[in-house]
Coordinates of all heavy atoms in Angstrom, one line a residue:
M1 N -28.0 -14.1 16.8 CA -27.0 -14.5 16.2 C -26.1 -13.5 15.6 O -24.9 -13.4 15.7 CB -27.2 -15.6 15.1 CG -26.1 -16.2 14.4 SD -25.1 -17.2 15.4 CE -24.4 -18.4 14.3
Q2 N -26.8 -12.5 14.8 CA -26.0 -11.5 14.2 C -25.2 -10.6 15.2 O -24.2 -10.1 14.9 CB -27.0 -10.5 13.3 CG -27.6 -11.4 12.1 CD -28.7 -10.4 11.5 OE1 -29.1 -9.6 12.0 NE2 -28.9 -11.0 10.3
I3 N -25.9 -10.3 16.3 CA -25.2 -9.5 17.4 C -24.1 -10.1 18.0 O -23.0 -9.6 18.1 CB -26.3 -9.1 18.5 CG1 -27.4 -8.2 17.8 CG2 -25.6 -8.5 19.7 CD1 -28.6 -7.9 18.8
V4 N -24.1 -11.4 18.1 CA -22.9 -12.2 18.7 C -21.8 -12.2 17.6 O -20.7 -12.0 18.1 CB -23.4 -13.7 19.1 CG1 -22.2 -14.5 19.4 CG2 -24.4 -13.7 20.1
I5 N -22.1 -12.4 16.4 CA -21.1 -12.4 15.4 C -20.5 -11.0 15.3 O -19.2 -11.0 15.1 CB -21.6 -12.8 14.0 CG1 -22.0 -14.4 14.1 CG2 -20.7 -12.6 12.9 CD1 -22.8 -14.7 12.9
G6 N -21.3 -10.0 15.2 CA -20.8 -8.6 15.2 C -19.9 -8.3 16.5 O -18.8 -7.6 16.4
L7 N -20.3 -8.8 17.7 CA -19.5 -8.6 18.8 C -18.1 -9.3 18.7 O -17.1 -8.7 19.1 CB -20.3 -9.1 20.1 CG -19.5 -8.9 21.5 CD1 -19.3 -7.4 21.8 CD2 -20.5 -9.6 22.5
V8 N -18.2 -10.5 18.3 CA -16.9 -11.3 18.2 C -15.9 -10.6 17.2 O -14.7 -10.4 17.4 CB -17.2 -12.7 17.8 CG1 -15.9 -13.4 17.4 CG2 -17.8 -13.4 18.9
I9 N -16.5 -10.2 16.1 CA -15.7 -9.6 15.0 C -15.1 -8.1 15.5 O -14.0 -7.8 15.4 CB -16.4 -9.3 13.6 CG1 -16.6 -10.7 13.1 CG2 -15.7 -8.5 12.7 CD1 -17.6 -10.8 11.8
G10 N -16.0 -7.4 16.2 CA -15.7 -6.1 16.8 C -14.5 -6.2 17.7 O -13.5 -5.4 17.8
V11 N -14.6 -7.3 18.7 CA -13.5 -7.4 19.7 C -12.2 -7.8 18.9 O -11.1 -7.3 19.2 CB -13.9 -8.5 20.7 CG1 -12.8 -9.0 21.5 CG2 -15.0 -8.0 21.6
A12 N -12.3 -8.7 17.9 CA -11.1 -9.1 17.1 C -10.4 -7.9 16.5 O -9.3 -7.7 16.5 CB -11.5 -10.2 16.2
I13 N -11.3 -7.1 15.8 CA -10.8 -5.9 15.0 C -10.2 -5.0 16.0 O -9.1 -4.4 15.9 CB -11.9 -5.2 14.3 CG1 -12.3 -6.2 13.1 CG2 -11.4 -3.9 13.7 CD1 -13.6 -5.6 12.3
G14 N -10.9 -4.8 17.2 CA -10.4 -3.8 18.1 C -9.1 -4.2 18.8 O -8.2 -3.3 19.2
S15 N -8.9 -5.4 19.0 CA -7.8 -5.9 19.7 C -6.5 -6.2 18.7 O -5.4 -6.2 19.2 CB -8.1 -7.1 20.6 OG -8.5 -8.2 19.8
T16 N -6.8 -6.5 17.5 CA -5.7 -7.0 16.6 C -5.6 -6.0 15.4 O -4.6 -6.0 14.8 CB -6.0 -8.4 16.2 OG1 -7.1 -8.3 15.3 CG2 -6.1 -9.4 17.3
G17 N -6.7 -5.3 15.1 CA -6.6 -4.5 13.9 C -6.9 -5.3 12.6 O -6.9 -4.7 11.5
V18 N -7.2 -6.6 12.8 CA -7.4 -7.4 11.7 C -8.9 -7.8 11.7 O -9.4 -8.1 12.8 CB -6.6 -8.7 11.6 CG1 -6.8 -9.6 10.5 CG2 -5.1 -8.3 11.6
G19 N -9.6 -7.9 10.6 CA -10.9 -8.5 10.6 C -11.9 -7.8 9.6 O -13.0 -8.3 9.4
G20 N -11.6 -6.6 9.1 CA -12.4 -5.9 8.3 C -13.0 -6.8 7.2 O -14.1 -6.9 7.0
G21 N -12.1 -7.4 6.4 CA -12.6 -8.3 5.4 C -12.3 -9.7 5.8 O -12.9 -10.7 5.3
T22 N -11.2 -9.9 6.5 CA -10.7 -11.2 6.8 C -11.7 -12.1 7.6 O -11.9 -13.3 7.4 CB -9.5 -11.2 7.7 OG1 -8.5 -10.3 7.0 CG2 -8.8 -12.6 7.9
L23 N -12.4 -11.5 8.5 CA -13.4 -12.1 9.3 C -14.8 -11.8 9.0 O -15.8 -12.6 9.0 CB -13.3 -11.8 10.7 CG -11.9 -12.1 11.5 CD1 -11.8 -11.5 12.9 CD2 -11.8 -13.6 11.5
T24 N -15.1 -10.6 8.6 CA -16.5 -10.2 8.4 C -17.0 -10.8 7.0 O -18.1 -11.4 7.1 CB -16.5 -8.6 8.1 OG1 -15.9 -8.0 9.2 CG2 -17.9 -8.1 8.0
A25 N -16.4 -10.8 6.0 CA -16.9 -11.4 4.8 C -17.2 -12.9 4.9 O -18.4 -13.4 4.6 CB -16.0 -11.1 3.6
P26 N -16.3 -13.7 5.3 CA -16.6 -15.1 5.6 C -17.8 -15.4 6.6 O -18.5 -16.3 6.5 CB -15.2 -15.7 6.2 CG -14.2 -14.8 5.6 CD -14.8 -13.4 5.6
A27 N -17.7 -14.5 7.6 CA -18.9 -14.7 8.7 C -20.2 -14.4 8.0 O -21.2 -15.1 8.2 CB -18.6 -13.8 9.9
L28 N -20.2 -13.3 7.2 CA -21.5 -13.0 6.6 C -21.9 -14.2 5.5 O -23.2 -14.5 5.4 CB -21.4 -11.8 5.8 CG -21.3 -10.5 6.6 CD1 -21.0 -9.2 5.8 CD2 -22.6 -10.2 7.5
I29 N -21.0 -14.7 4.9 CA -21.2 -15.8 3.8 C -21.6 -17.1 4.6 O -22.7 -17.7 4.4 CB -20.0 -16.0 2.9 CG1 -19.8 -14.7 2.1 CG2 -20.3 -17.2 2.0 CD1 -18.4 -14.8 1.4
L30 N -20.7 -17.5 5.4 CA -20.9 -18.8 6.1 C -21.9 -19.1 7.2 O -22.5 -20.0 7.3 CB -19.4 -19.4 6.5 CG -18.4 -19.5 5.5 CD1 -17.1 -19.9 6.1 CD2 -18.8 -20.6 4.4
L31 N -21.9 -18.0 8.0 CA -22.7 -18.0 9.1 C -24.2 -17.3 8.9 O -25.2 -17.8 9.5 CB -22.1 -17.4 10.3 CG -20.7 -18.0 10.8 CD1 -20.1 -17.2 11.9 CD2 -20.9 -19.4 11.1
L32 N -24.2 -16.3 8.1 CA -25.4 -15.6 7.9 C -26.1 -15.8 6.6 O -27.2 -15.3 6.2 CB -25.2 -14.2 8.2 CG -24.8 -13.8 9.7 CD1 -24.5 -12.4 9.8 CD2 -25.9 -14.2 10.6
G33 N -25.4 -16.5 5.6 CA -26.0 -16.9 4.3 C -26.1 -15.9 3.3 O -26.8 -16.0 2.3
Y34 N -25.4 -14.8 3.4 CA -25.4 -13.7 2.5 C -24.5 -14.2 1.3 O -23.6 -15.0 1.3 CB -24.7 -12.4 2.9 CG -25.7 -11.7 3.9 CD1 -25.4 -11.9 5.3 CD2 -26.6 -10.9 3.4 CE1 -26.3 -11.2 6.1 CE2 -27.4 -10.3 4.3 CZ -27.4 -10.4 5.6 OH -28.2 -9.7 6.5
S35 N -24.8 -13.6 0.0 CA -24.0 -14.1 -1.1 C -22.6 -13.4 -1.1 O -22.4 -12.3 -0.3 CB -24.7 -13.4 -2.4 OG -24.6 -12.0 -2.5
P36 N -21.6 -13.9 -1.6 CA -20.2 -13.5 -1.5 C -20.2 -12.0 -2.1 O -19.5 -11.1 -1.4 CB -19.5 -14.4 -2.5 CG -20.2 -15.7 -2.4 CD -21.6 -15.2 -2.3
R37 N -20.9 -11.6 -3.0 CA -20.9 -10.3 -3.5 C -21.4 -9.3 -2.6 O -20.8 -8.3 -2.3 CB -21.9 -10.2 -4.8 CG -21.8 -8.9 -5.5 CD -22.6 -9.0 -6.7 NE -22.4 -7.9 -7.6 CZ -23.0 -7.6 -8.7 NH1 -23.7 -8.6 -9.3 NH2 -22.8 -6.5 -9.3
I38 N -22.5 -9.6 -1.9 CA -23.0 -8.7 -0.8 C -22.1 -8.7 0.4 O -21.8 -7.6 1.0 CB -24.4 -9.1 -0.4 CG1 -25.4 -9.1 -1.6 CG2 -25.0 -8.4 0.7 CD1 -25.6 -7.7 -2.2
A39 N -21.6 -9.8 0.7 CA -20.7 -10.0 1.9 C -19.4 -9.1 1.8 O -19.0 -8.4 2.7 CB -20.5 -11.4 2.1
V40 N -18.8 -9.3 0.7 CA -17.6 -8.5 0.4 C -17.7 -7.0 0.3 O -17.0 -6.3 0.9 CB -16.9 -9.1 -1.0 CG1 -15.6 -8.2 -1.3 CG2 -16.4 -10.6 -0.8
A41 N -18.8 -6.6 -0.4 CA -19.2 -5.3 -0.5 C -19.4 -4.6 0.9 O -19.0 -3.6 1.2 CB -20.3 -5.0 -1.4
T42 N -20.2 -5.4 1.8 CA -20.5 -4.9 3.1 C -19.3 -4.7 3.9 O -19.1 -3.7 4.6 CB -21.5 -5.8 3.7 OG1 -22.7 -5.9 2.9 CG2 -22.0 -5.5 5.2
A43 N -18.4 -5.7 4.0 CA -17.2 -5.8 4.7 C -16.3 -4.7 4.3 O -15.7 -4.0 5.1 CB -16.5 -7.1 4.5
L44 N -16.2 -4.5 3.0 CA -15.3 -3.3 2.5 C -15.8 -1.9 2.9 O -15.1 -1.1 3.4 CB -15.4 -3.4 0.9 CG -14.5 -2.3 0.2 CD1 -13.0 -2.4 0.6 CD2 -14.6 -2.5 -1.4
L45 N -17.2 -1.8 2.8 CA -17.7 -0.4 3.2 C -17.4 -0.2 4.7 O -17.2 0.8 5.2 CB -19.2 -0.4 2.8 CG -19.9 1.0 3.2 CD1 -19.2 2.2 2.5 CD2 -21.3 1.0 2.9
Y46 N -17.8 -1.3 5.4 CA -17.6 -1.3 7.0 C -16.2 -0.8 7.2 O -15.9 0.0 8.1 CB -18.1 -2.6 7.6 CG -17.7 -2.7 9.1 CD1 -18.4 -2.0 10.1 CD2 -16.5 -3.3 9.4 CE1 -18.1 -2.1 11.4 CE2 -16.2 -3.4 10.8 CZ -17.0 -2.7 11.7 OH -16.6 -2.8 13.0
S47 N -15.2 -1.6 6.6 CA -13.8 -1.3 6.8 C -13.5 0.2 6.6 O -12.7 0.8 7.3 CB -13.0 -2.3 6.2 OG -11.6 -2.1 6.3
A48 N -13.9 0.6 5.5 CA -13.7 2.1 4.9 C -14.2 3.0 6.0 O -13.5 4.0 6.4 CB -14.3 2.3 3.6
V49 N -15.4 2.9 6.5 CA -16.1 3.7 7.5 C -15.2 3.8 8.7 O -14.9 4.9 9.3 CB -17.5 3.3 7.8 CG1 -18.0 4.1 8.9 CG2 -18.3 3.7 6.5
V50 N -14.8 2.6 9.1 CA -14.0 2.6 10.4 C -12.7 3.3 10.3 O -12.2 3.9 11.1 CB -13.9 1.0 11.0 CG1 -12.8 0.9 12.0 CG2 -15.1 0.6 11.3
K51 N -12.0 3.0 9.2 CA -10.7 3.6 8.9 C -10.8 5.2 8.7 O -9.9 5.8 9.1 CB -10.0 2.9 7.7 CG -9.6 1.5 8.0 CD -9.0 0.8 6.9 CE -8.4 -0.4 7.3 NZ -8.9 -1.7 6.7
I52 N -11.9 5.6 8.1 CA -12.0 7.0 7.9 C -12.2 7.6 9.4 O -11.6 8.7 9.7 CB -13.2 7.3 7.0 CG1 -12.8 7.0 5.6 CG2 -13.6 8.8 7.2 CD1 -14.0 7.1 4.7
G53 N -13.0 7.0 10.2 CA -13.2 7.5 11.6 C -11.9 7.6 12.3 O -11.6 8.5 13.1
A54 N -11.1 6.5 12.2 CA -9.8 6.4 13.0 C -8.8 7.5 12.4 O -8.1 8.1 13.1 CB -9.2 4.9 12.8
A55 N -8.9 7.7 11.1 CA -7.9 8.6 10.5 C -8.3 10.0 11.1 O -7.4 10.9 11.4 CB -8.0 8.7 9.0
V56 N -9.6 10.4 11.2 CA -9.9 11.7 11.8 C -9.4 11.9 13.2 O -8.9 12.9 13.6 CB -11.4 11.8 11.8 CG1 -11.9 13.1 12.5 CG2 -12.0 11.9 10.3
V57 N -9.5 10.7 13.9 CA -9.1 10.9 15.4 C -7.5 11.1 15.4 O -7.0 11.9 16.1 CB -9.4 9.5 16.2 CG1 -8.6 9.5 17.5 CG2 -10.9 9.4 16.3
Y58 N -6.7 10.3 14.6 CA -5.2 10.5 14.5 C -4.8 11.9 14.1 O -3.9 12.4 14.6 CB -4.7 9.3 13.7 CG -4.6 8.0 14.3 CD1 -5.2 6.9 13.7 CD2 -3.9 7.7 15.5 CE1 -5.2 5.7 14.3 CE2 -3.9 6.5 16.0 CZ -4.6 5.5 15.4 OH -4.6 4.3 16.0
L59 N -5.6 12.4 13.1 CA -5.3 13.7 12.6 C -5.6 14.7 13.6 O -4.7 15.6 13.8 CB -6.2 14.0 11.3 CG -5.6 13.4 10.0 CD1 -6.7 13.5 8.9 CD2 -4.3 14.0 9.6
S60 N -6.7 14.6 14.4 CA -7.0 15.6 15.5 C -6.0 15.5 16.6 O -5.8 16.5 17.3 CB -8.4 15.3 16.0 OG -8.6 14.2 16.6
R61 N -5.4 14.4 16.9 CA -4.4 14.2 17.9 C -3.0 14.5 17.4 O -2.0 14.4 18.1 CB -4.3 12.8 18.4 CG -5.6 12.4 19.1 CD -5.6 11.0 19.7 NE -6.8 10.7 20.4 CZ -7.0 9.5 20.8 NH1 -6.2 8.5 20.6 NH2 -8.2 9.2 21.4
Q62 N -2.9 14.9 16.1 CA -1.6 15.3 15.5 C -0.6 14.1 15.6 O 0.6 14.2 15.9 CB -1.0 16.5 16.0 CG -1.9 17.8 15.8 CD -1.3 18.9 16.5 OE1 -0.4 18.9 17.2 NE2 -2.0 20.1 16.0
Q63 N -1.2 12.9 15.3 CA -0.2 11.7 15.4 C 0.0 11.2 14.0 O 0.3 10.0 13.8 CB -1.0 10.6 16.1 CG -1.2 10.9 17.6 CD -1.9 9.8 18.4 OE1 -2.9 9.4 17.9 NE2 -1.5 9.6 19.6
V64 N 0.0 11.9 12.9 CA 0.3 11.5 11.6 C 1.6 12.2 11.2 O 1.7 13.3 11.2 CB -0.9 12.0 10.6 CG1 -0.5 11.6 9.3 CG2 -2.2 11.3 11.0
N65 N 2.5 11.2 10.6 CA 3.7 11.7 10.1 C 3.6 12.0 8.6 O 3.5 11.0 7.9 CB 4.8 10.7 10.3 CG 6.2 11.2 9.9 OD1 6.3 11.9 9.0 ND2 7.3 10.7 10.6
F66 N 3.4 13.2 8.1 CA 3.1 13.5 6.8 C 4.3 13.2 5.9 O 4.0 12.9 4.6 CB 2.6 14.9 6.7 CG 1.2 15.1 7.2 CD1 1.1 15.8 8.5 CD2 0.1 14.8 6.6 CE1 -0.2 15.9 9.1 CE2 -1.2 15.0 7.1 CZ -1.4 15.5 8.3
R67 N 5.4 13.3 6.3 CA 6.7 13.0 5.5 C 6.6 11.5 5.3 O 6.8 11.0 4.0 CB 7.9 13.2 6.3 CG 9.2 13.0 5.5 CD 10.4 13.5 6.1 NE 11.5 12.6 6.5 CZ 11.5 11.2 6.5 NH1 10.5 10.5 6.5 NH2 12.6 10.5 6.7
V68 N 6.3 10.6 6.2 CA 6.2 9.1 5.8 C 5.0 8.8 5.0 O 5.0 8.1 4.0 CB 6.1 8.3 7.2 CG1 5.9 6.9 6.9 CG2 7.4 8.5 8.0
L69 N 3.9 9.5 5.3 CA 2.6 9.4 4.6 C 2.8 9.8 3.1 O 2.4 9.2 2.1 CB 1.5 10.3 5.1 CG 0.3 10.2 4.4 CD1 -0.4 8.9 4.6 CD2 -0.8 11.2 5.0
G70 N 3.6 10.8 2.8 CA 3.9 11.2 1.4 C 4.8 10.2 0.7 O 4.7 10.1 -0.5
L71 N 5.5 9.4 1.4 CA 6.4 8.3 0.8 C 5.6 7.1 0.4 O 6.0 6.3 -0.5 CB 7.6 8.0 1.7 CG 8.6 9.1 2.0 CD1 9.6 8.6 3.0 CD2 9.3 9.4 0.7
C72 N 4.5 6.9 1.1 CA 3.7 5.6 0.9 C 3.3 5.4 -0.5 O 3.5 4.4 -1.0 CB 2.5 5.6 1.8 SG 3.0 5.3 3.6
P73 N 2.6 6.4 -1.2 CA 2.3 6.2 -2.6 C 3.4 5.8 -3.5 O 3.2 5.0 -4.4 CB 1.5 7.5 -2.9 CG 1.2 8.1 -1.8 CD 2.3 7.7 -0.8
S74 N 4.6 6.4 -3.3 CA 5.6 6.1 -4.3 C 6.1 4.7 -4.0 O 6.5 4.1 -5.0 CB 6.9 7.1 -4.0 OG 7.4 7.0 -2.7
K75 N 6.1 4.2 -2.8 CA 6.4 2.8 -2.6 C 5.4 1.9 -3.2 O 5.8 0.8 -3.7 CB 6.6 2.4 -1.1 CG 7.7 3.4 -0.4 CD 9.0 3.1 -1.1 CE 10.0 3.9 -0.3 NZ 11.3 3.9 -0.9
I76 N 4.2 2.2 -3.1 CA 3.2 1.4 -3.8 C 3.3 1.4 -5.2 O 3.2 0.3 -5.9 CB 1.8 1.8 -3.4 CG1 1.6 1.6 -1.8 CG2 0.7 1.2 -4.2 CD1 0.3 2.4 -1.3
L77 N 3.5 2.5 -5.8 CA 3.6 2.6 -7.3 C 4.8 1.8 -7.9 O 4.6 1.3 -9.0 CB 3.7 4.1 -7.7 CG 2.3 4.9 -7.5 CD1 2.6 6.3 -7.9 CD2 1.3 4.3 -8.3
F78 N 5.9 1.8 -7.1 CA 7.1 1.2 -7.7 C 7.4 -0.2 -7.0 O 8.5 -0.7 -7.0 CB 8.3 2.1 -7.5 CG 8.2 3.4 -8.2 CD1 7.8 4.6 -7.6 CD2 8.2 3.4 -9.6 CE1 7.7 5.7 -8.3 CE2 8.0 4.5 -10.3 CZ 7.8 5.7 -9.6
G79 N 6.4 -0.9 -6.5 CA 6.5 -2.2 -6.0 C 7.3 -2.3 -4.8 O 8.1 -3.4 -4.7
L80 N 7.4 -1.3 -3.9 CA 8.3 -1.4 -2.7 C 9.8 -1.6 -3.1 O 10.5 -2.4 -2.3 CB 7.8 -2.4 -1.8 CG 6.3 -2.3 -1.3 CD1 5.9 -3.4 -0.4 CD2 6.3 -1.0 -0.5
K81 N 10.2 -1.0 -4.0 CA 11.6 -1.2 -4.4 C 12.5 -0.2 -3.7 O 12.2 0.9 -3.3 CB 11.9 -0.9 -5.9 CG 11.3 -2.1 -6.7 CD 11.7 -1.9 -8.2 CE 11.1 -3.1 -9.0 NZ 11.4 -3.0 -10.3

């Protein structure tokens, strides 16, 4: 059952980019019986590892616009004004 759930979530994340916490945590809680605390922490760590890996690939391919990247924190800090 765990392998099937992982495969479904992996396909969803790979095809849509959504699912790190949106699908993983509820699946761990509702389908596999993990506590919410463990499920959320696991989903968060999994999502972080995947994003770090993707960032390395994008950086190595020189597909990062550092000018736009530099603007992101300022927009977050000021509420996207």
Side-chain angles (χ1 to χ4, degrees):
M1 180 71 155
Q2 293 173 343
I3 293 173
V4 172
I5 293 169
L7 180 64
V8 169
I9 292 171
V11 168
I13 292 170
S15 61
T16 66
V18 176
T22 308
L23 298 174
T24 306
L28 290 172
I29 295 166
L30 299 173
L31 302 176
L32 298 176
Y34 287 96
S35 72
R37 185 177 188 176
I38 298 295
V40 170
T42 302
L44 180 62
L45 182 60
Y46 170 75
S47 183
V49 168
V50 169
K51 288 176 174 126
I52 289 168
V56 169
V57 171
Y58 285 120
L59 284 168
S60 70
R61 292 180 181 174
Q62 298 178 346
Q63 294 176 319
V64 177
N65 184 328
F66 289 100
R67 185 176 125 331
V68 173
L69 181 64
L71 294 174
C72 290
S74 65
K75 299 299 182 191
I76 293 168
L77 292 173
F78 297 109
L80 300 173
K81 288 185 179 181

